[in-house]
Amino acid sequence: KSAFETGLIDLLQTQEEISFASLCSSLRIDAEGAKLIIDLLSQNQVLHQSKQNISLTDDFIHALDFRDLLEAKIEFANLLVPDVMNNLKDYIQDMDSFMQQSDIFDLFSYHRAYESTEENLEITRKWMKYTTVLTRYEAGVFLENYNVSEYSTAMDIGGNSGEFMSQMCSSHSALRGTVVDL
C-alpha cells in the first residue's frame, strides 16, 4: 500500500530503473524508510535491486495490469487485519464469536441502506468500490464460459453497483439489463 501511496510504483513504471539516491530525492522519502520498503518489496518479488539501480520485476509489471484489483485487495486486507490481530483466538476456536466482534462485517451491513447519512454513504462507497472491482474480473470469466447472446433481457438481483450487468451488456449490445439492489 505504501509503495502505491508514496508514488514508488508509478515512478518505477515511468523510469524503468532508478538509483537509490534519485528514488529518495524524487519521492522525498527518508533513506532509512526507503531501505525498509525497498527490502520488503524485493523480498516479495515486486522490486529487483542491482548494485546501482532499482526496478520493478517483470512479474510485478505484469501484475500491474490488474492494479485496481491489487489496490482493492490491499485496502480490504488493511480493514481485515485489526480484526484478525485482535480476535485470532475466536477466529480459530469460535467463528460466530469472531464474526460478532469483527468490525469488517460492518462494511457489508445492509442496515446502512436504511438511512442516508454521510457515514453510511462513505462506508457504502468502500463496499461498492471493492465489490465493483472484484466483479469486473469475475464477470469476464463468466462471459468467457457462458454464452448470453441468445438472451434479449436479463435481471441481476442483488447486483451491487451494476458492474456485472454492465459487462454483460457491453459484451452483447442487444441485451437489455436491469439491476436490483438496495
Side-chain angles (χ1 to χ4, degrees):
K1 180 178 180 182
S2 296
F4 285 120
E5 288 177 340
T6 61
L8 174 61
I9 300 299
D10 293 324
L11 178 65
L12 290 173
Q13 275 189 289
T14 60
Q15 297 284 320
E16 286 191 32
E17 284 189 341
I18 193 167
S19 70
F20 180 78
S22 293
L23 183 140
C24 291
S25 174
S26 295
L27 298 177
R28 294 184 200 108
I29 56 177
D30 177 75
E32 286 302 312
K35 286 178 189 174
L36 173 63
I37 195 166
I38 289 166
D39 286 346
L40 289 169
L41 293 170
S42 295
Q43 290 171 16
N44 287 283
Q45 290 83 47
V46 172
L47 299 182
H48 172 74
Q49 294 183 71
S50 67
K51 290 182 181 181
Q52 302 297 321
N53 292 314
I54 301 159
S55 62
L56 295 173
T57 64
D58 290 340
D59 285 343
F60 192 73
I61 290 169
H62 176 68
L64 282 172
D65 290 342
F66 309 96
R67 182 177 179 149
D68 58 344
L69 184 59
L70 288 169
E71 289 180 321
K73 288 189 173 261
I74 289 168
E75 187 173 332
F76 186 76
N78 282 324
L79 294 171
L80 180 61
V81 164
D83 287 339
V84 174
M85 284 177 37
N86 295 324
N87 304 308
L88 184 59
K89 178 184 162 290
D90 287 327
Y91 182 85
I92 295 166
Q93 294 180 322
D94 185 356
M95 186 57 73
D96 288 337
S97 178
F98 173 80
M99 291 175 69
Q100 289 172 6
Q101 295 178 58
S102 295
D103 293 330
I104 193 69
F105 296 102
D106 190 46
L107 179 65
F108 300 100
S109 178
Y110 283 105
H111 81 277
R112 300 253 178 224
Y114 299 133
E115 185 179 2
S116 182
T117 66
E118 197 53 46
E119 178 186 17
N120 286 347
L121 291 171
E122 182 58 33
I123 289 173
T124 302
R125 278 186 204 98
K126 288 180 184 179
W127 170 10
M128 296 301 288
K129 180 180 176 185
Y130 183 68
T131 59
T132 298
V133 170
L134 292 180
T135 303
R136 184 170 301 132
Y137 293 96
E138 293 165 352
V141 173
F142 172 81
L143 291 167
E144 288 174 11
N145 292 287
Y146 190 81
N147 181 9
V148 297
S149 64
E150 61 193 62
Y151 301 101
S152 60
T153 60
M155 180 178 281
D156 188 357
I157 299 170
N160 288 304
S161 68
E163 179 66 27
F164 189 82
M165 187 60 67
S166 177
Q167 294 286 328
M168 286 178 51
C169 291
S170 292
S171 295
H172 303 285
S173 60
L175 184 65
R176 181 169 180 242
T178 301
V179 177
V180 179
D181 206 319
L182 293 174

